[in-house]
Amino acid sequence: VNDSVTITISPQPELGKDTAFCEGSSLTLSPGRFGKYYWNGSSTEGQSTYKASSKGMVTVKTIDAKGCSGFDTIEIKAPYTKPIVNLGKDTSFCWKKKVVLNAGNQGAKYKWNNGATTQTIEADTTKTYSVTVTDAHDCSNNDAISVTVKIPVIPTIGVVTQSSTSHNLIAWEPDNLKKIKQYCIWKENTSSVFEKIKTISKNDSTYYIDEQSNPKIKASRYALTSIDEECGNESRLSSVHSSLHLSCMMKNGVVTAKWNNYEGLPVAKYTLWRALKGKPLQVYQTVDANQGTETIFVDDKSLGLNSYYQVSFDLSGPVKPSMLKSDSGPFSVSLSNLAESELSGVSDVAVSDVRIYPNPASESFRLSNIEMAQITVYSLWGSEIMSRNVKDNEPVSVKGWQKGLYYIK
């Protein structure tokens, strides 16, 4: 007689090999899927998982759906010690220097908050640096350090304007909280390179008159730096400010006033002033600032050649230099040079050897000390009266001319 029997062995719980975990953490044990669980000899039914948080033996008894029992045991060994990470105390140091941060634990894995994965990094920026170190047991620890770099403050020019001596004046307000030792004034040269032209102590007035400037000829560009007391470092250049240069050319009674737009401050509108020579300036027009590098205003109701102009704009608030003296503010406007209305195309260069006589003239005039020259005569309003070649001492008739002042080119 033949017969067969099928024997089914129920699955046994499996807690895994003896193990350990990192200090400060825990290990969740799961023996598998069963009907009931009894942990560490307890007669009370427990959960399907067990959280081990200390060393020792852990046992489990399981009962499956068929009523079969299973047993397993695991030893939880002493926890692994976390890697010791110590970046040191918060620190500070002078600009242009650096500090090396070392996370220790050679051979571990590193993850810095700046993306580095090396054991050491160089810190040269003000920020908080942090690192996570993971050892061979996959245990992690971290540390952070606050680094402060003592960077000299970059000063700010308040305004560039005209002094009472018709030179450029650079003014700024002192910053007494930044431990500034000195201020340095820089000026752009003809090669578009900034050169240091003056160093001013923190105890002096925070303004400077550039005696070498000539606002009637051209605009100049300036910047500031500071030198700090603690480290002696010089800051980077401040934002650039430019002076206003105004020129006024006249042709046929119309004056074209042209000036560079101020650089360093936003300017929406300029005020144009004008007057006859010997008279005080008066506000003439408000002119919208043009887009680009310069603004132009055409005065078709000019006062003639015997007049002058000036441009200004209001600051959003007064600039108050330290140790106020005469010509040192506070400043609420920026002024251009005074510009006389000049004939278009007429040179400013005087020829001292050339003599015009008689002057005044009633019938004619003559030019001496010339061999042959082409002359052009203009009225006070810039209108051309005549143009011709003349020889030395040749009479030039003025018959039919109205009485008045004329210009000869």
Side-chain angles (χ1 to χ4, degrees), residues 116-369:
T117 57
T118 53
Q119 180 179 333
T120 62
I121 63 170
E122 291 183 342
D124 59 1
T125 304
T126 295
K127 63 180 294 184
T128 297
Y129 294 84
S130 62
V131 63
T132 298
V133 179
T134 304
D135 64 14
H137 299 297
D138 206 30
C139 294
S140 298
N141 204 354
N142 56 69
D143 194 22
I145 184 174
S146 178
V147 172
T148 301
V149 181
K150 300 174 183 177
I151 300 176
V153 64
I154 300 174
T156 301
I157 293 177
V159 67
V160 176
T161 185
Q162 298 299 296
S163 71
S164 60
T165 58
S166 298
H167 293 292
N168 291 333
L169 185 151
I170 306 97
W172 63 99
E173 295 187 348
D175 194 337
N176 298 322
L177 301 177
K178 300 298 184 180
K179 297 183 179 179
I180 292 175
K181 180 181 180 181
Q182 294 173 319
Y183 295 95
C184 303
I185 298 96
W186 297 71
K187 181 180 181 180
E188 187 180 50
N189 62 22
T190 55
S191 300
S192 299
V193 175
F194 279 87
E195 296 178 329
K196 188 182 297 184
I197 61 174
K198 184 67 175 179
T199 298
I200 293 178
S201 169
K202 68 173 183 178
N203 296 320
D204 293 334
S205 295
T206 53
Y207 76 95
Y208 175 69
I209 297 176
D210 180 10
E211 301 289 351
Q212 303 302 314
S213 63
N214 193 343
K216 290 185 177 181
I217 302 300
K218 67 174 185 176
S220 297
R221 303 175 76 230
Y222 299 91
L224 287 178
T225 58
S226 73
I227 298 176
D228 65 21
E229 284 185 323
E230 187 172 354
C231 300
N233 284 327
E234 186 169 359
S235 72
R236 296 186 176 92
L237 285 177
S238 70
S239 58
V240 174
H241 283 236
S242 67
S243 60
L244 288 172
H245 167 62
L246 171 66
S247 64
C248 296
M249 304 304 296
M250 184 176 189
K251 186 174 183 180
N252 298 325
V254 177
V255 172
T256 300
K258 180 169 64 176
W259 61 94
N260 61 292
N261 287 327
Y262 189 93
E263 181 182 0
L265 293 172
V267 181
K269 295 180 181 294
Y270 293 95
T271 300
L272 183 65
W273 306 68
R274 76 172 188 180
L276 287 171
K277 286 185 179 179
K279 301 292 183 180
L281 284 165
Q282 294 182 345
V283 173
Y284 178 49
Q285 292 284 344
T286 298
V287 183
D288 291 335
N290 290 346
Q291 297 295 324
T293 59
E294 64 181 18
T295 295
I296 298 174
F297 177 79
V298 178
D299 185 7
D300 56 4
K301 298 179 182 179
S302 73
L303 301 176
L305 285 172
N306 195 29
S307 62
Y308 62 105
Y309 295 79
Q310 190 171 38
V311 167
S312 70
F313 69 88
D314 294 332
L315 305 181
S316 59
V319 177
K320 300 176 182 178
S322 60
M323 298 179 62
L324 296 180
K325 302 176 183 178
S326 60
D327 209 7
S328 67
F331 303 97
S332 58
V333 297
S334 176
L335 299 171
S336 75
N337 57 296
L338 289 173
E340 297 183 21
S341 53
E342 304 176 19
L343 290 171
S344 178
V346 178
S347 172
D348 289 331
V349 179
V351 183
S352 59
D353 292 337
V354 177
R355 177 170 173 258
I356 302 175
Y357 71 98
N359 190 6
S362 58
E363 295 184 358
S364 65
F365 66 88
R366 302 170 187 263
L367 282 76
S368 63
N369 298 323

Side-chain angles (χ1 to χ4, degrees), residues 59-73:
T59 63
V60 66
K61 173 185 175 182
T62 61
I63 299 176
D64 62 17
K66 297 179 180 180
C68 297
S69 299
F71 300 89
D72 197 17
T73 300

